[in-house]
């Protein structure tokens, strides 16, 4: 495995019933980059993410994350790996019976033996890092707006100071200003915390403003490149995606 | 590649405290680092009048946000002792991270421990809160009862507006599908009542009265009560969970925007179906209970089926059956009303669906038994 790659996917096949979603898909994610994953509906963007983090069993292929083969890893190894990545699901996926601060504390209580007051302090540090006000810590997820829930989910994903951050449509359902703020937050945190970010998105503005490289899922495989390389690509879907009215609007800035 | 473990050492220079930190300061080893750093902090007496400190991070090989928190926390503790502290960060990436962490901590401010009231006071407060909440809920349930009555009357005047398809669907799930379990349980209840009667009455040589006991107990009380409790657990809970989940999914909001009245669409069909199904189930339960009693009488007391039926015919009046049977529609109303009411009270979360479902069953069973006791007492006063 190339030391510069934190995630390597080789020959991945995913199939649900008769429908093959990924066929011999290869993908590398390099350390310290923000990789955007795009594709039309049903091309298996979320499936790819779920497969890498182990929520979806693959038909065949090999995935190694931080040098660990996720299928071959033993329980101990797999658990150690869990500490090294954080995942933000679409709507935050916060535990609804816990307050925001308690949500952020869950991974720490599970994986470390830190004293209670330290856990609390770090919870509030994360709340501050993701730009939530201090009083959000005592609130329940149902009392927060969609944007705040995502920030809280991000804080939970960052609880163990992971090396890789997986984001599933982080800006879906946010207003343009909120979405732009969230983009900047991700970029900012990625730089100051030195994260590698795997970002599934539909949002062209997000792609243009924060990703280093983009992986486009088409024809059950993926094509990776910087935005400028992809602009030259002649594949009809890619052309339509980047040269359509929305693509042009996002590119103008 | 294992990074060098994090460490800290404190030195007391002539006019300043110096802390040298090195290795990897990360979440992985934070628990140990916190202990070591706190141990390295001097007491006020050991400070010896020094008013300056320096935390030197030049030898760090790795720093993450929790490590940066520990540095900031240490600085805060030193400054609380009146020591002006300077943090020297080597690598620019660490500098950016540290600044960011410090800024975030400043924004959050000093955390106050949440005030905990005296446990006795808290218990008292809980009692008060429960009483007030209970009263409030009683009021809400009562007004929901009123609302449902108004809508039922309206539906009766415009029967074509009743959602018959839904009524039949719920009839199937609450009525038809419940037949096996209701039948089996009531059969067993009949067996148990006959068995108790047989054992006790044999002492007086009055075992023939076992038939009276089975007839009266099953027809008047047990048939309807067991069935109502079973249906409250089986279907009342389902009503709450169904309506509650719809509420979580905003389906109820969607209905309102389309101009459908959720009470008319969701609550009325359930109440109607329940009020049809439960009396039918009760009749069926009565029969099964008596069958259970008859079987037990045959096996344990050698009372033949014909003599069982003859004795039953003498012992039981129509009135006995009606007292039990006529309670069924009221129990049905209570169960359906409570189930739907709690479903509509669900707010936002998955947990709330669970809590409300529990409450729905508890309340429905409670109210059914209270209603039954009320009827029994009233009838005994009226000497019916």
């Amino acid at each position: 495995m190339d030391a510069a790659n934190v995630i390597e996917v080789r020959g991945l096949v995913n199939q649900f019933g008769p429908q093959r979603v990924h066929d011999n898909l290869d993908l590398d994610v390099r350390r310290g980059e923000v990789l955007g994953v795009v594709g039309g509906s049903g091309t298996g963007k979320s499936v790819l993410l779920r497969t890498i983090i182990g929520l979806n069993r693959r038909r065949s292929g090999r995935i190694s994350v931080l040098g660990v083969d996720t299928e071959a890893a033993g329980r101990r190894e797999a658990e150690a790996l869990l500490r090294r990545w954080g995942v933000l699901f679409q709507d935050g996926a916060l535990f609804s019976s816990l307050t925001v601060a308690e949500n952020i504390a869950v991974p720490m209580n599970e994986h470390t033996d830190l004293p209670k007051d330290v856990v609390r302090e770090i919870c509030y540090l994360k709340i501050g890092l993701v730009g939530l006000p201090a009083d959000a810590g005592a609130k329940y997820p149902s009392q927060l707006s969609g944007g705040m829930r995502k920030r809280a989910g991000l804080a939970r994903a960052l609880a163990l100071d992971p090396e890789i951050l997986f984001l599933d449509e982080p800006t879906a359902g946010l207003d343009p200003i909120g979405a732009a703020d969230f983009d900047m937050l991700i970029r900012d945190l990625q730089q100051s915390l030195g994260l590698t970010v795997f970002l599934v998105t539909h949002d062209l503005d997000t792609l243009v403003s924060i990703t280093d490289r983009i992986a486009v899922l088409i024809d059950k495989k993926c094509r990776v490149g910087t935005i400028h390389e992809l602009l030259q690509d002649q594949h009809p879907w890619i052309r339509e995606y980047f040269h359509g009215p929305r693509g042009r609007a996002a590119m103008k800035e | 590649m294992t990074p060098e473990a994090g460490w800290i050492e404190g030195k007391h220079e002539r006019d300043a405290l110096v802390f040298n930190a090195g290795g990897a300061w990360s979440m992985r080893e934070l628990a140990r680092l916190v202990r070591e750093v706190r141990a390295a902090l001097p007491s006020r007496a050991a400070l010896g009048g020094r008013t300056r400190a320096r935390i030197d991070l030049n030898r760090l090989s790795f720093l993450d946000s929790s490590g940066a928190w520990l540095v900031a926390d240490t600085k805060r503790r030193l400054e609380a002792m009146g020591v002006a502290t300077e943090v020297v960060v080597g690598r620019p990436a660490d500098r950016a991270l540290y600044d960011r962490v410090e800024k975030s901590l400043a924004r959050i401010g000093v955390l106050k421990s949440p005030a905990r009231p005296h446990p006795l006071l808290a218990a008292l407060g809980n009692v008060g809160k429960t009483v007030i909440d209970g009263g409030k809920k009683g009021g809400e349930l009562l007004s929901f009862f009123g609302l449902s009555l108004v809508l039922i009357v309206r539906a009766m005047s415009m029967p074509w507006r009743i959602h018959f398809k839904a009524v039949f669907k719920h009839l199937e799930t609450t009525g038809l599908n419940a037949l096996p379990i209701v039948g089996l349980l009531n059969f067993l209840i009949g067996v148990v009542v006959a068995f108790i009667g047989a054992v006790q009455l044999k002492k007086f040589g009055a075992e023939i009265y076992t038939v009276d006991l089975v007839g009266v107990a099953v027809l008047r009380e047990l048939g309807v009560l067991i069935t109502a409790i079973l249906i409250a657990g089986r279907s009342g809970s389902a009503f709450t969970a169904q309506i509650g989940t719809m509420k979580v999914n905003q389906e109820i909001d969607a209905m309102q925007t389309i101009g459908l009245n959720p009470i008319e669409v969701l609550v009325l069909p359930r109440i109607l179906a329940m009020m049809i199904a439960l009396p039918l189930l009760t009749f069926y339960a009565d029969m099964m209970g008596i069958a259970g009693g008859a079987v037990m009488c045959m096996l344990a007391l050698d009372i033949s089926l014909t003599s069982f039926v003859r004795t039953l015919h003498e012992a039981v009046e129509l009135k006995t059956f009606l007292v039990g049977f006529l309670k069924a529609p009221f129990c049905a109303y209570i169960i359906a009303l409570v189930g739907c009411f709690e479903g509509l009270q669900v707010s936002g979360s998955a947990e709330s669906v669970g809590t409300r479902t529990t409450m729905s069953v508890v309340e429905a069973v409670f109210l059914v038994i209270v209603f039954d006791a009320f009827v029994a007492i009233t009838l005994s006063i009226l000497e019916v």
Side-chain angles (χ1 to χ4, degrees):
Chain A
M1 174 168 180
D2 191 338
N5 291 338
V6 288
I7 302 174
E8 271 187 8
V9 179
R10 289 287 174 270
L12 177 69
V13 178
N14 266 314
Q15 188 160 352
F16 298 104
Q19 195 195 352
R20 192 159 273 218
V21 183
H22 302 130
D23 193 5
N24 250 331
L25 181 147
D26 296 342
L27 178 67
D28 289 335
V29 184
R30 298 177 193 150
R31 183 171 293 279
E33 76 171 347
V34 178
L35 178 82
V37 178
V38 298
S41 294
T43 50
K45 302 183 294 293
S46 295
V47 174
L48 179 60
L49 187 151
R50 292 172 61 86
T51 311
I52 295 174
I53 60 179
L55 290 178
N56 179 51
R57 272 190 90 97
R58 55 187 176 267
R59 180 63 65 96
S60 71
R62 197 175 57 81
I63 297 175
S64 61
V65 181
L66 295 160
V68 180
D69 187 327
T70 52
E71 192 106 308
R75 200 178 58 83
R76 205 173 272 275
E77 239 180 331
E79 209 163 85
L81 200 56
L82 286 183
R83 297 182 50 158
R84 297 174 70 186
W85 72 50
V87 186
L88 170 63
F89 292 96
Q90 247 187 57
D91 197 33
L94 295 166
F95 305 123
S96 53
S97 55
L98 304 178
T99 64
V100 169
E102 286 165 348
N103 259 288
I104 304 170
V106 169
M108 282 188 269
N109 289 333
E110 185 62 33
H111 290 288
T112 70
D113 49 358
L114 288 169
K116 259 195 189 140
D117 60 317
V118 173
V119 169
R120 212 166 93 84
E121 288 263 349
I122 293 181
C123 285
Y124 277 89
L125 164 66
K126 307 285 162 162
I127 288 172
L129 278 176
V130 298
L132 285 172
D135 62 356
K139 287 187 179 159
Y140 285 91
S142 54
Q143 296 170 292
L144 300 180
S145 69
M148 289 171 90
R149 271 207 294 277
K150 287 202 181 180
R151 284 173 189 261
L154 185 61
R156 187 180 67 186
L158 293 174
L160 293 175
D161 277 305
E163 292 162 53
I164 311 174
L165 186 60
F166 292 94
L167 306 170
D168 191 1
E169 308 222 7
T171 53
L174 297 184
D175 65 89
I177 300 171
D181 283 350
F182 204 80
D183 286 345
M184 284 307 105
L185 174 69
I186 292 169
R187 185 85 225 180
D188 202 21
L189 288 173
Q190 185 261 337
Q191 281 166 354
S192 51
L193 306 181
L195 299 164
T196 305
V197 179
F198 183 98
L199 171 80
V200 171
T201 188
H202 269 306
D203 190 332
L204 276 155
D205 292 312
T206 306
L207 281 178
V208 174
S209 57
I210 70 171
T211 55
D212 297 309
R213 291 193 309 150
I214 298 172
V216 187
L217 293 182
I218 30 173
D219 305 331
K220 297 168 189 164
K221 294 201 175 23
C222 83
R223 283 186 205 195
V224 191
T226 62
I227 196 153
H228 297 290
E229 288 163 13
L230 289 171
L231 281 172
Q232 310 302 322
D233 201 300
Q234 291 308 311
H235 189 283
W237 192 85
I238 298 180
R239 277 199 69 77
E240 200 177 336
Y241 189 82
F242 289 105
H243 297 277
R246 282 160 175 266
R248 282 203 303 274
M251 233 69 79
K252 246 178 226 161
E253 292 143 24
Chain B
M1 171 195 82
T2 341
E4 183 196 357
W7 51 264
I8 185 164
E9 58 177 21
K11 275 191 301 197
H12 294 222
E13 285 186 1
R14 197 155 48 84
D15 54 344
L17 294 164
V18 177
F19 296 97
N20 285 315
W25 279 42
S26 69
M27 172 56 92
R28 191 181 289 255
E29 296 191 83
L30 194 66
R32 181 180 60 79
L33 275 171
V34 166
R35 280 196 301 276
E36 283 181 17
V37 169
R38 299 222 165 137
L41 279 178
S43 65
R44 215 172 270 272
L47 224 55
R50 294 183 187 84
T51 55
R52 285 193 303 117
R54 195 170 76 237
I55 304 176
D56 190 336
L57 306 181
N58 265 312
R59 279 193 265 171
L60 282 189
S61 60
F62 180 79
L63 182 71
D64 67 10
S65 75
S66 27
W69 165 80
L70 184 55
V71 176
D73 182 62
T74 311
K75 180 181 173 193
R76 203 159 54 183
R77 279 164 192 262
L78 283 167
E79 289 189 336
M81 291 193 289
V83 181
T85 309
E86 178 198 8
V87 176
V88 184
V89 191
R91 303 182 307 168
D94 291 351
R95 174 92 253 167
L97 175 63
Y98 179 74
D99 286 347
R100 196 173 163 106
V101 165
E102 204 172 36
K103 215 170 69 194
S104 293
L105 285 172
R107 215 165 61 75
I108 289 290
V110 179
L111 289 179
K112 287 189 285 286
S113 304
R116 285 235 178 79
H118 191 273
L120 221 65
L121 271 178
L124 200 65
N126 273 338
V127 171
K129 193 172 170 313
T130 314
V131 170
I132 291 171
D133 286 352
K136 259 194 210 148
K137 169 168 261 181
E140 280 166 19
L141 190 59
L142 202 64
S143 59
F144 188 68
F145 173 60
L147 180 63
S148 71
L149 278 186
V150 170
L151 282 166
I152 285 179
V153 170
R154 207 170 72 184
M156 292 303 162
S157 65
M158 295 183 284
W160 61 88
R161 292 200 51 155
I162 298 174
H163 293 250
F164 282 107
K165 214 174 133 192
V167 173
F168 284 117
K169 200 193 96 197
H170 290 299
L171 258 180
E172 184 185 343
T173 49
T174 55
L176 195 64
N177 295 350
L179 281 179
I181 185 76
V182 167
L184 178 66
L185 280 194
N186 279 286
F187 183 87
L188 291 177
I189 291 286
V191 168
V192 169
V193 170
F195 181 71
I196 294 173
V199 171
Q200 297 300 319
L201 293 172
K202 218 173 205 166
K203 293 177 190 163
F204 311 104
E207 52 263 54
I208 192 65
Y209 286 105
T210 304
V211 181
D212 295 50
L213 183 66
V214 169
V216 173
V218 167
L219 291 185
R220 194 173 164 130
E221 293 294 340
L222 291 179
V224 61
L225 205 58
I226 296 291
T227 312
I229 289 172
L230 205 63
I231 293 300
R234 198 181 168 277
S235 301
S237 57
F239 289 179
T240 310
Q242 285 160 359
I243 296 179
T245 314
M246 291 180 81
K247 189 120 194 258
V248 173
N249 286 341
Q250 291 191 308
E251 287 174 55
I252 304 226
D253 296 347
M255 260 177 209
Q256 273 167 331
T257 58
I258 298 170
L260 295 169
N261 182 345
I263 306 217
E264 210 174 276
V265 178
L266 298 176
V267 179
L268 279 195
R270 285 178 168 82
I271 290 181
L272 286 180
M274 186 67 98
M275 287 182 74
I276 298 169
L278 195 61
L280 293 178
L281 284 175
T282 300
F283 181 77
Y284 167 70
D286 287 349
M287 296 307 115
M288 291 305 278
I290 286 175
V295 168
M296 197 62 202
C297 283
M298 265 197 296
L299 294 178
L301 298 173
D302 287 330
I303 300 175
S304 73
L305 197 56
T306 37
S307 70
F308 181 87
V309 171
R310 201 176 332 109
T311 324
L312 190 69
H313 197 69
E314 283 160 17
V316 174
E317 303 169 66
L318 178 63
K319 195 181 71 188
T320 316
F321 166 72
L322 284 182
V323 167
F325 186 73
L326 290 180
K327 279 189 284 198
F330 293 96
C331 291
Y333 204 109
I334 291 172
I335 295 166
L337 196 74
V338 170
C340 296
F341 171 76
E342 290 293 348
L344 289 171
Q345 298 293 308
V346 165
S347 62
S349 67
E351 199 200 9
S352 157
V353 177
T355 330
R356 290 292 169 180
T357 308
T358 311
M359 279 171 134
S360 146
V361 175
V362 172
E363 279 163 22
V365 171
F366 170 79
L367 287 175
V368 161
I369 292 178
V370 167
F371 167 74
D372 186 64
F374 173 78
V375 171
I377 292 168
T378 312
L379 291 183
S380 83
I381 290 172
L382 295 176
E383 292 174 357
V384 178

